Amino acid sequence: MSTTATWDTQGNWAMKDNNNKGLSEAGLRRMREVLARHMESGGIPGLVALVGRGEDTHVETMGTLHEGGGAPMRRDTIFRLASLSKPITAAAVMLLVEECRLRLDDPVAEWLPELADRQVLRSIDSPLEDTVPALRPITVRDLLTFTFGFGAVLAAPDTYPIQVAMRELGLDGSAPEAGPDEWLSRLGRLPLMHQPGTLWQYHTGSDVLGVLVQRVAGQSFEAFLRERLFGPLGMKDSGFHVPADKIDRLPTSYAHDPQTGGLVVWDEAAGGKYSSPPVFERGGDGLVSTVDDYHAFYRMLLNKGAHRGERILSRASVELMTTDHLTPEQKVEKDAFGDHFGRHGGYGFGMAVRTHRRDLASVGQFGWDGGLGTTAYADPVEGLTGILFTQAAMDSLDTPRLHKDFWTTAYQAIAD
């Protein structure tokens, strides 16, 4: 089914005149046809797709919350955002920067003493004892740009001693969850993989930022988000878990069997990982949301920090978040991930920034993808936002191909 909604004129969009022409009916029909073909293939149980431009917002819902039938996908279905949590975490940090409670180039050790006086591996394959002192402290900016010296390793599990140590300390997600203080304490026991500021490494910086916000704000990370972002933006279904009275709106989360390609349950809805408050509110991948909630967040970014007449972030902060901050040397690790991380060209604060024209997206497009099946980007040149949420992980060809085809049709939906 499809639905179309129009935002009121208080959205305060500041787009060029040609961006106010909205969406094309012919383009939206093409999108519906393409998404339906993916659904017919059987690799995706359900999806909710949103495209927004100017005052036009169009939503498609297809399939079911669970494989094999049952409750249909709805516009208010709640999805696990996975790494789409990262841009929200970056925005939370910028709120504290604007209040001068944090400064981008100040060391984080004042608030995160576990990360003070770091040692750094002599090389990525070194034993944990083969280290040199860090040349400088870790800063807030390092965490926002994923260049603080620690993160995902581009190698098979347990290739290097540092990976073994991460697994043994439960820092790879394989062990029962530790609280934020214990998690950071474990991280602080390990050396950095690279000198601060030298190399982009995925993910871990956002989890550290969540702890940083909690300590600086003096309240839980979720409480801060609700007070400063979710409340003002009307994101009523966003948080770190789905309460019991909404659990029927959470789909089963699926991965793919590596041998057969078939769907296997990764996380149930009722009784699953997201059905109760987590021990650690992870800034990197812990949030849940709906397409309309997430659209409100992106509309705010597209509108340079304003939403329905209220200033959430300054124009300067949003421009800083959505600007490429990486040098070619810092991008080596990112670009080595190829199409998954490297296709955008650049990286801002908590999300990618497109620096070259590779497909239909404009230079300046910003956003990110989530490993559990989510994708969301905004294009300031076209005034376009696209959001596609599914419950099928990006560990096979099915979901990435769906995402690519969604983006191809989203740009066709731009009215001339």
Side-chain angles (χ1 to χ4, degrees):
M1 63 174 291
S2 65
T3 59
T4 302
T6 300
W7 293 79
D8 60 38
T9 57
Q10 296 179 347
N12 289 321
W13 281 55
M15 299 298 151
K16 298 177 182 178
D17 290 342
N18 64 346
N19 290 339
N20 292 324
K21 295 182 179 179
L23 301 168
S24 155
E25 287 296 329
L28 294 174
R29 284 195 299 272
R30 172 68 64 82
M31 173 182 291
R32 187 178 308 123
E33 293 167 359
V34 169
L35 294 179
R37 288 205 301 268
H38 279 277
M39 294 300 304
E40 291 166 2
S41 72
I44 310 292
L47 62 84
V48 182
L50 179 151
V51 286
R53 188 168 187 253
E55 294 182 358
D56 289 351
T57 302
H58 181 85
V59 174
E60 295 283 351
T61 63
M62 296 182 181
T64 57
L65 274 69
H66 315 288
E67 185 187 21
M73 283 287 180
R74 305 185 333 193
R75 183 168 180 158
D76 65 351
T77 296
I78 301 171
F79 289 87
R80 302 158 184 83
L81 289 181
S83 287
L84 291 192
S85 305
K86 290 175 170 66
I88 293 177
T89 297
V93 173
M94 292 309 297
L95 287 168
L96 294 172
V97 170
E98 290 191 346
E99 294 176 350
C100 299
R101 300 166 74 180
L102 286 173
R103 299 176 189 88
L104 288 174
D105 294 309
D106 277 0
V108 299
E110 176 183 355
W111 299 101
L112 308 176
E114 297 92 335
L115 299 183
D117 302 320
R118 307 309 302 141
Q119 291 289 308
V120 183
L121 291 175
R122 195 175 299 274
S123 66
I124 190 63
D125 57 353
S126 292
L128 299 187
E129 301 77 21
D130 185 15
T131 63
V132 297
L135 297 178
R136 66 165 177 80
I138 296 167
T139 66
V140 177
R141 189 187 302 270
D142 294 331
L143 294 173
L144 285 165
T145 57
F146 290 176
T147 59
F148 83 103
F150 198 99
V153 179
L154 186 59
D158 292 356
T159 298
Y160 304 125
I162 188 67
Q163 293 173 284
V164 176
M166 290 171 65
R167 176 175 52 77
E168 291 175 346
L169 288 173
L171 296 174
D172 64 348
S174 63
E177 196 75 273
D181 294 336
E182 173 59 24
W183 179 85
L184 194 62
S185 173
R186 296 178 187 179
L187 181 63
R189 296 175 207 168
L190 297 179
L192 298 178
M193 301 176 190
H194 301 280
Q195 288 287 345
T198 61
L199 194 70
W200 183 94
Q201 286 186 280
Y202 191 51
H203 183 73
T204 310
S206 286
D207 284 341
V208 178
L209 287 172
V211 183
L212 179 65
V213 170
Q214 174 185 320
R215 292 187 181 178
V216 174
Q219 59 187 143
S220 74
F221 189 26
E222 182 170 48
F224 181 84
L225 290 175
R226 290 197 182 283
E227 177 183 328
R228 302 299 303 278
L229 282 175
F230 298 162
L233 292 172
M235 298 172 65
K236 62 183 184 301
D237 291 318
S238 300
F240 284 100
H241 82 288
V242 181
D245 61 346
K246 298 181 180 181
I247 200 69
D248 62 321
R249 292 160 53 194
L250 180 70
T252 302
S253 181
Y254 296 95
H256 295 87
D257 185 289
Q259 275 73 48
T260 67
L263 293 170
V264 294
V265 174
W266 182 81
D267 184 52
E268 298 280 4
K273 178 180 178 181
Y274 292 82
S275 64
S276 59
V279 176
F280 181 13
E281 296 168 349
R282 287 185 174 271
D285 60 6
L287 288 168
V288 298
S289 193
T290 64
V291 292
D292 282 307
D293 276 13
Y294 208 77
H295 188 209
F297 174 66
Y298 265 35
R299 279 177 62 94
M300 180 271 291
L301 294 179
L302 266 183
N303 199 36
K304 302 295 186 181
H307 180 74
R308 297 187 175 184
E310 182 175 353
R311 175 61 60 183
I312 308 298
L313 282 169
S314 70
R315 176 183 293 269
S317 286
V318 174
E319 290 174 349
L320 196 60
M321 290 176 63
T322 57
T323 296
D324 179 21
H325 291 277
L326 301 184
T327 67
E329 293 75 21
Q330 290 171 324
K331 294 177 182 180
V332 169
E333 185 90 346
K334 178 183 71 66
D335 291 348
F337 278 83
D339 193 61
H340 191 58
F341 291 156
R343 70 182 182 274
H344 316 90
Y347 200 82
F349 290 171
M351 56 187 151
V353 179
R354 191 171 295 270
T355 60
H356 58 276
R357 193 75 183 247
R358 173 174 168 174
D359 44 38
L360 300 182
S362 308
V363 171
Q365 182 204 51
F366 58 83
W368 202 233
D369 306 294
L372 296 181
T374 56
T375 182
Y377 289 84
D379 187 326
V381 174
E382 298 290 354
L384 178 74
T385 301
I387 300 169
L388 175 62
F389 288 173
T390 79
Q391 77 273 58
M394 294 178 65
D395 56 355
S396 80
L397 292 177
D398 289 332
T399 306
R401 284 174 173 170
L402 168 65
H403 287 184
K404 289 178 180 178
D405 291 350
F406 165 70
W407 284 110
T408 297
T409 58
Y411 277 89
Q412 293 176 61
I414 295 172
D416 293 333

